């Protein structure tokens, strides 16, 4: 699969009501910086920046939030509906800790030379973060359970780690990714990606040619279903874009390995996601498409969000899928502070 595909990347109907922003108690959040290595045996000479948010009480479950291509940790604090809470606020209000990260080469994390990235660098970093969370080395105490929550490329990374190291993951939420990507759409979208050094937002940063970013307007065109998105949210999204590095080789892990996942899995996609070619008409259709790739131990559940594009968190419908994910976490994982 070409690099453009790698760039972004239980039938269930859960009755869940979104929570108004006014009803949310602000979580206790603090920035974290974790020293990490880029290879399994290399030195921990890079750092991953993130924000750890804790609920009231003691949570024994933490959600590790992995953004997609050209997005950083701010994705998980987006308010697609400006009157409703973000994903982080929703989960901390429900009693779960969250760690939202900037992957290497994005946001406030390290920017090593792109040639140092290996095909599995991002997965190796995620495993180090899981270990630090379980050992209590990032604050908030030790967490007994870790749920990986991904969007697009972040979803690919989450399920790759969960398949290769099933004992390390207690739950997986995958958004903006499925077993049937739209190859033609990824090819077309590729024209809207250029070197970060050629972008006014990143000029003068000294980034090498392996660092890429999106051209102005790409996000609105490819990531949103505009009838259900606030223009101010889209503008803010464009203004806060990040760079990214996509290692040589194919970063899209084929779904054939998903049967190795031993933890519960929830898949959530938008009805109007232009980057997916598979089932988007209903939760039942998505379940029928994805179920053959998972074992019974995954207890697969699926949700299709109506009126929604690729960037689920940026749409007015976002609070509805947040509520469904919250209900799923309570049923399938547990460990929320009470």
């Amino acid at each position: 699969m070409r690099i453009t595909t790698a760039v972004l990347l239980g039938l269930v109907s859960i009755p869940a009501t979104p929570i108004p922003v006014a009803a949310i108690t602000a979580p206790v959040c603090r920035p974290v910086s974790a020293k990490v290595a880029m290879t399994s045996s290399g030195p921990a000479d890079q750092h991953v920046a993130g924000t750890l948010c804790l609920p009231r009480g003691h949570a024994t479950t933490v959600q590790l939030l992995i953004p997609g291509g050209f997005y950083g940790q701010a994705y998980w604090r987006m308010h697609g509906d400006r009157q409703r809470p973000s994903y982080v606020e929703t989960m901390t209000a429900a009693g779960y800790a969250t760690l939202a990260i900037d992957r290497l080469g994005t946001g406030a994390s390290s920017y090593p030379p792109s040639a140092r990235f290996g095909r599995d660098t991002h997965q190796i970093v995620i495993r180090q973060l899981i270990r630090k969370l379980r050992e209590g080395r990032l604050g908030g105490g030790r967490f007994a359970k870790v749920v990986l929550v991904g969007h697009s490329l972040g979803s690919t990374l989450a399920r790759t780690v969960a398949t290769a190291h099933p004992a390390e993951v207690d739950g997986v939420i995958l958004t903006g990714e499925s077993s049937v990507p739209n190859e033609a759409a990824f090819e077309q979208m590729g024209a809207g990606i250029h070197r970060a050094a050629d972008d006014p937002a990143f000029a003068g940063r000294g980034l090498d040619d392996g660092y890429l970013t999106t051209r102005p307007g790409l996000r609105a065109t490819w990531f949103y279903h505009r009838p259900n998105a606030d223009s101010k949210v889209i503008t803010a999204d464009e203004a806060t874009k990040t760079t990214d590095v996509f290692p040589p080789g194919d970063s899209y892990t084929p779904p054939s390995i998903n049967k190795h996942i031993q933890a519960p899995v929830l898949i959530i996609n938008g009805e109007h996601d232009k980057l997916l070619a598979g089932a988007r008409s209903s939760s039942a259709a998505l379940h029928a498409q994805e179920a053959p790739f998972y074992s019974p131990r995954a207890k697969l559940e699926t949700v299709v969000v109506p009126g929604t594009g690729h960037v689920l968190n940026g749409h007015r419908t976002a609070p509805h899928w947040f509520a469904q994910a919250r209900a799923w976490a309570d049923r399938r994982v547990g460990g929320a502070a009470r």
Side-chain angles (χ1 to χ4, degrees):
M1 193 171 293
R2 292 164 290 281
I3 188 171
T4 47
T5 303
V7 161
L8 298 168
L9 290 172
L11 170 60
V12 61
S13 177
I14 305 171
T17 303
I19 306 169
V21 167
I24 292 290
T25 300
V28 177
C29 300
R30 69 177 186 84
V32 300
S33 180
K35 287 287 187 182
V36 296
M38 298 183 72
T39 64
S40 297
S41 58
D45 59 354
Q46 305 297 315
H47 80 274
V48 165
T51 301
L52 179 68
C53 294
L54 302 174
R56 288 183 173 182
H58 176 61
T60 57
T61 295
V62 61
Q63 297 189 10
L64 177 52
L65 312 180
I66 311 167
F70 306 118
Y71 281 87
Q73 60 177 291
Y75 176 76
W76 302 103
R77 296 193 297 272
M78 290 180 74
H79 292 84
D81 180 340
R82 289 185 288 161
Q83 303 304 313
R84 301 288 183 176
S86 66
Y87 185 89
V88 167
E89 291 167 333
T90 298
M91 288 301 173
T92 53
Y96 295 100
T98 64
L99 174 62
I101 64 169
D102 293 324
R103 290 177 290 100
L104 289 183
T106 72
S109 292
S110 298
Y111 288 74
S114 61
R116 287 193 60 190
F117 283 79
R119 178 175 177 175
D120 57 354
T121 292
H122 291 307
Q123 293 96 309
I124 289 171
V125 169
I126 291 169
R127 288 192 67 206
Q128 292 172 73
L129 295 175
I130 292 173
R131 186 162 57 250
K132 292 176 186 293
L133 287 166
R134 290 192 184 277
E135 295 174 356
R137 289 192 280 151
L138 294 180
R142 296 171 179 261
F143 294 100
K145 296 181 180 181
V146 178
V147 177
L148 299 183
V149 185
H151 175 254
S152 195
L153 174 60
S155 292
T156 300
L157 298 174
R159 64 181 176 82
T160 301
V161 171
T163 57
H165 308 282
E168 299 178 10
V169 179
D170 299 285
V172 184
I173 300 177
L174 307 174
T175 71
E177 192 227 42
S178 77
S179 62
V180 190
N182 187 337
E183 294 275 15
F186 275 105
E187 290 292 339
Q188 295 171 33
M189 189 188 64
I193 297 168
H194 64 166
R195 297 188 312 162
D198 294 333
D199 194 291
F202 305 105
R205 294 271 298 270
L207 299 175
D208 64 51
D209 289 352
Y211 279 85
L212 307 174
T213 195
T214 54
R215 296 180 188 272
L218 179 142
R219 294 160 115 81
T221 300
W222 285 101
F223 297 168
Y224 285 88
H225 180 60
R226 295 198 203 199
N228 213 5
D230 187 325
S231 61
K232 292 182 179 179
V233 172
I234 298 176
T235 299
D237 187 353
E238 288 277 4
T240 56
K241 67 182 182 182
T242 71
T243 60
D244 225 318
V245 174
F246 305 98
D250 186 359
S251 295
Y252 179 80
T253 306
S256 56
I257 68 169
N258 292 355
K259 285 189 182 295
H260 296 292
I261 298 177
Q262 302 298 303
V265 176
L266 173 64
I267 301 175
I268 303 182
N269 287 327
E271 176 189 18
H272 298 284
D273 191 331
K274 297 176 182 177
L275 299 178
L276 302 182
R280 287 166 292 147
S281 60
S282 69
S283 300
L286 181 60
H287 189 275
Q289 172 184 285
E290 299 298 322
F293 295 103
Y294 292 87
S295 75
R297 295 192 65 176
K299 301 182 177 68
L300 180 66
E301 299 182 24
T302 60
V303 174
V304 169
V305 185
T308 304
H310 185 64
V311 174
L312 285 83
N313 291 10
H315 289 75
R316 293 186 180 95
T317 54
H320 297 282
W321 91 256
F322 297 166
Q324 291 172 322
R326 182 191 73 227
W328 173 89
D330 287 343
R331 290 184 297 104
R332 294 300 192 192
V333 182
R338 300 299 182 191

